[in-house]
C-alpha cells in the first residue's frame, strides 16, 4: 500500500506519518507548496520538512517550484475563496505525481490542522482523485493534532506562526490602527 503524503510543513507531517506507518502504509512525503510567502519563509519550511524527514527516516520528494504569480492569480480570482484554490493547486500536483509514479494512494497533511477547512479539503481531494485516476484516502488527522505538536517540539522543529500565503501573514500581524485624538 504505497502512499504519497503531500506535506505542507514538517510539524504538520509528524502525526500523519506516525499514523500511516502504524497502519501499514509505505509512506513517502511530497513537498509542493508555492503558496508560502515570503520566499525566505518558503525555504525555511522546506528545510524544516527535510529536517523532519531525516529525523524520522521518511523518504521525501521535493518539488521546490515557486510559481508565485500563478498562485497569486488564482488567489485573487477565487469566487469561492482563495483557500479552495490553494488546496486544489497543491493536491492536484500531488495527485499527478502519485499517478505518474505508480502510487496506490495520495493524501495530505493539511488534514491535521484544526485551522483548515477540513470538509473542503476532503471534497477537493476526492474530486481530484476522480479526475486524475488515483485514489485519495481521507483521514481525520485532527484527532492527532496535539500528538503532532508534541512530536514536533521533541524534534525541535521550527513551527510557523501563520498559514502560509501573503494574505494569511497580513491577517496574522496586522493590528488595527489606533484612532488619533
Ligand atoms: S490561508 Fe493558507 S490555505 Fe488559505 S490561501 Fe493562504 S496559505 Fe492557502
Amino acid at each position: 500500500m504505497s502512499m504519497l503524503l503531500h506535506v505542507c510543513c514538517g510539524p504538520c507531517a509528524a502525526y500523519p506519518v506516525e499514523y500511516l506507518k502504524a497502519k501499514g502504509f509505505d509512506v513517502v512525503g511530497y513537498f509542493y507548496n508555492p503558496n508560502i510567502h515570503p520566499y525566505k519563509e518558503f525555504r525555511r519550511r522546506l528545510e524544516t520538512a527535510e529536517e523532519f524527514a531525516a529525523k524520522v527516516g521518511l523518504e521525501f520528494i521535493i518539488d521546490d517550484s515557486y510559481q508565485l504569480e500563478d498562485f497569486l492569480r488564482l488567489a485573487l480570482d477565487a469566487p469561492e475563496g482563495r483557500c479552495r484554490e490553494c488546496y486544489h493547486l497543491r493536491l492536484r500536483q500531488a495527485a499527478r505525481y502519485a499517478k505518474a509514479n505508480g502510487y496506490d494512494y495520495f493524501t495530505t497533511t493539511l488534514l491535521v490542522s484544526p485551522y483548515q477547512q477540513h470538509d473542503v479539503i476532503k471534497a477537493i481531494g476526492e474530486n481530484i482523485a476522480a479526475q486524475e485516476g488515483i485514489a485519495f484516502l481521507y483521514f481525520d488527522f485532527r484527532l492527532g493534532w496535539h500528538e503532532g505538536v508534541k512530536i514536533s517540539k521533541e524534534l525541535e522543529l521550527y513551527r510557523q506562526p501563520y498559514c502560509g500565503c501573503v494574505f494569511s501573514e497580513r491577517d496574522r500581524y496586522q493590528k488595527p490602527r489606533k484612532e488619533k485624538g
Side-chain angles (χ1 to χ4, degrees):
M1 294 195 298
S2 57
M3 168 70 78
L4 189 76
L5 175 67
H6 167 256
V7 169
C8 61
C9 65
C12 283
Y15 176 74
V17 168
E18 183 181 84
Y19 178 90
L20 292 169
K21 281 186 173 177
K23 290 285 176 192
F25 288 97
D26 187 8
V27 188
V28 173
Y30 178 74
F31 185 96
Y32 173 72
N33 301 287
N35 53 308
I36 300 169
H37 177 92
Y39 186 70
K40 268 175 84 174
E41 176 71 14
F42 170 79
R43 294 303 315 178
R44 189 170 188 191
R45 293 192 197 186
L46 170 51
E47 283 158 15
T48 303
E50 274 187 295
E51 179 190 343
F52 164 75
K55 283 179 173 171
V56 301
L58 173 73
E59 187 180 340
F60 195 53
I61 294 155
I62 294 167
D63 181 342
D64 64 354
S65 44
Y66 191 70
Q67 307 98 333
L68 178 62
E69 291 83 358
D70 291 346
F71 171 73
L72 289 175
R73 224 173 276 123
L74 284 171
L76 290 170
D77 184 20
E80 296 185 79
R82 63 176 178 262
C83 296
R84 182 178 283 271
E85 297 297 331
C86 182
Y87 300 146
H88 190 273
L89 176 71
R90 293 186 278 169
L91 291 185
R92 187 186 57 197
Q93 186 85 354
R96 288 181 175 172
Y97 185 90
K99 173 77 177 173
N101 290 279
Y103 287 82
D104 296 318
Y105 306 103
F106 78 104
T107 193
T108 176
T109 60
L110 288 165
L111 290 167
V112 83
S113 171
Y115 305 107
Q116 299 292 350
Q117 299 173 42
H118 202 85
D119 293 343
V120 174
I121 296 168
K122 178 173 185 281
I124 289 174
E126 290 170 351
N127 197 23
I128 289 171
Q131 287 170 357
E132 302 292 336
I134 167 94
F136 172 78
L137 284 195
Y138 165 77
F139 301 93
D140 190 352
F141 290 134
R142 290 175 299 188
L143 302 171
W145 167 251
H146 294 291
E147 172 70 9
V149 171
K150 187 168 149 273
I151 297 169
S152 65
K153 285 183 177 170
E154 283 167 3
L155 294 177
E156 299 182 333
L157 300 178
Y158 162 65
R159 296 184 55 79
Q160 63 268 19
Y162 59 94
C163 187
C165 65
V166 64
F167 309 102
S168 62
E169 191 258 3
R170 175 201 59 195
D171 295 345
R172 169 69 178 77
Y173 294 112
Q174 189 177 51
K175 303 260 189 304
R177 289 170 76 88
K178 283 187 183 150
E179 295 292 327
K180 287 187 179 164

